[in-house]
Amino acid sequence: TPKHARMGACGSRPAKEADKEKGAESESAPLNGEKPTFWGALKPAGSPAVIANVFANLAAWLAVEVCWCWAYAGMAWGLGCLGFGLLVCLYATLWVPIYQRYGPTAAGLPMLPLAVLPVLAAYQAFSWTSPGGVVALNVPWWQLLLASAYRAPLEINFFLGTHSGTLPWALAVPCEKASEPYALTAAGRTVRFARGINVDGAASVVLGLPLALWSYGYEAGLWASHPPEAVLWAYTILGFLTLGLVLVVVVSNLPGPHVFAGYWQGGPDTAAFYTWPVAMLPIFASQLGFIVFSLSLRKLIDYY
């Protein structure tokens, strides 16, 4: 079987072109052609390295969330963030049997955004509440900038997935050459690529870490200057854009048919995000990136 026709964690499945040929008939079909039991759908999928990376990211994000809320908004908010984070992990887990049993789409929409959007809205809403404002005011810039670099270890799963043939090469960094060329079609134009196009994790290291060090040195009295406001604005806006690019790649490559399908040609789909525990990454772990930049935006708007 060609690499681009394998699904990896979910078992063997056809490429996206075959999904399109099935048409509406495949829309309600389960991911692997069978209807697994509830517990069968929750069987861990992926290599030990993938599973370990998932749980390491979940633990790191939960620790950051709880520590910030506890330190800057009080113990009650810290415990509340801990409880909410665990509930989100449970919520993400319960979606997996739904994905596996009822298929990857509903009413022409991919299931994953339907699961992610309520959680994303809840975390974004917190950023603009009174406690969120207290956190944004008090958390040091160097901590926000350092936390933004979590996207690099999160994308270890992208590296493992692209090289094992379970994720599309569009999620790789530009310095990695794809095993097969792929194309993006949008607005009637087709652009072909031979390398990855994901710069999110790389930008968080190349830009985020030096800015964090610069900010920490200023607050520790090691030097007299702080990253300029214009630089912080630029990095915050860039963060939203690069995170958005990752979402576009993941959603448009989800197994279909759905309204976002058909833009990418070549490479495997992103149905690995419909398996456990990987399903928890977009629903919970990826929220750290968005809330970091939301708190940065609130800090820039309200306190600069």
Side-chain angles (χ1 to χ4, degrees), residues 42-255:
L42 295 179
K43 182 179 179 181
S47 68
V50 167
I51 295 172
N53 183 260
V54 169
F55 283 105
N57 277 281
L58 295 177
W61 170 205
L62 192 58
V64 170
E65 173 187 328
V66 172
C67 288
W68 279 353
C69 289
W70 192 308
Y72 304 118
M75 181 180 69
W77 276 97
L79 294 175
C81 285
L82 174 62
F84 184 70
L86 294 175
L87 282 176
V88 171
C89 288
L90 177 61
Y91 166 83
T93 297
L94 294 177
W95 267 94
V96 175
I98 298 175
Y99 300 147
Q100 297 282 339
R101 189 167 183 82
Y102 298 105
T105 61
L109 295 172
M111 286 277 202
L112 185 62
L114 302 178
V116 171
L117 287 177
V119 180
L120 178 61
Y123 275 111
Q124 292 305 297
F126 170 78
S127 303
W128 299 94
T129 61
S130 178
V134 172
V135 174
L137 172 64
N138 289 288
V139 65
W141 268 113
W142 71 267
Q143 290 187 19
L144 282 172
L145 294 165
L146 181 62
S148 74
Y150 96 102
R151 286 127 64 204
L154 178 68
E155 290 181 6
I156 291 174
N157 271 322
F158 293 174
F159 176 84
L160 296 172
T162 53
H163 284 269
S164 66
T166 60
L167 288 176
W169 278 100
L171 289 173
V173 294
C175 64
E176 287 192 90
K177 187 174 181 179
S179 60
E180 299 177 9
Y182 62 95
L184 166 64
T185 299
R189 302 186 65 179
T190 298
V191 182
R192 302 189 181 281
F193 300 93
R195 296 181 178 274
I197 61 171
N198 176 21
V199 298
D200 187 51
S204 74
V205 172
V206 174
L207 300 176
L209 290 184
L211 287 173
L213 179 62
W214 186 356
S215 177
Y216 177 80
Y218 170 78
E219 295 185 25
L222 300 178
W223 40 73
S225 65
H226 188 272
E229 182 181 353
V231 172
L232 297 173
W233 268 104
Y235 182 64
T236 299
I237 293 172
L238 177 66
F240 279 117
L241 292 175
T242 57
L243 276 166
L245 173 63
V246 173
L247 286 181
V248 168
V249 173
V250 170
V251 171
S252 60
N253 277 285
L254 289 169

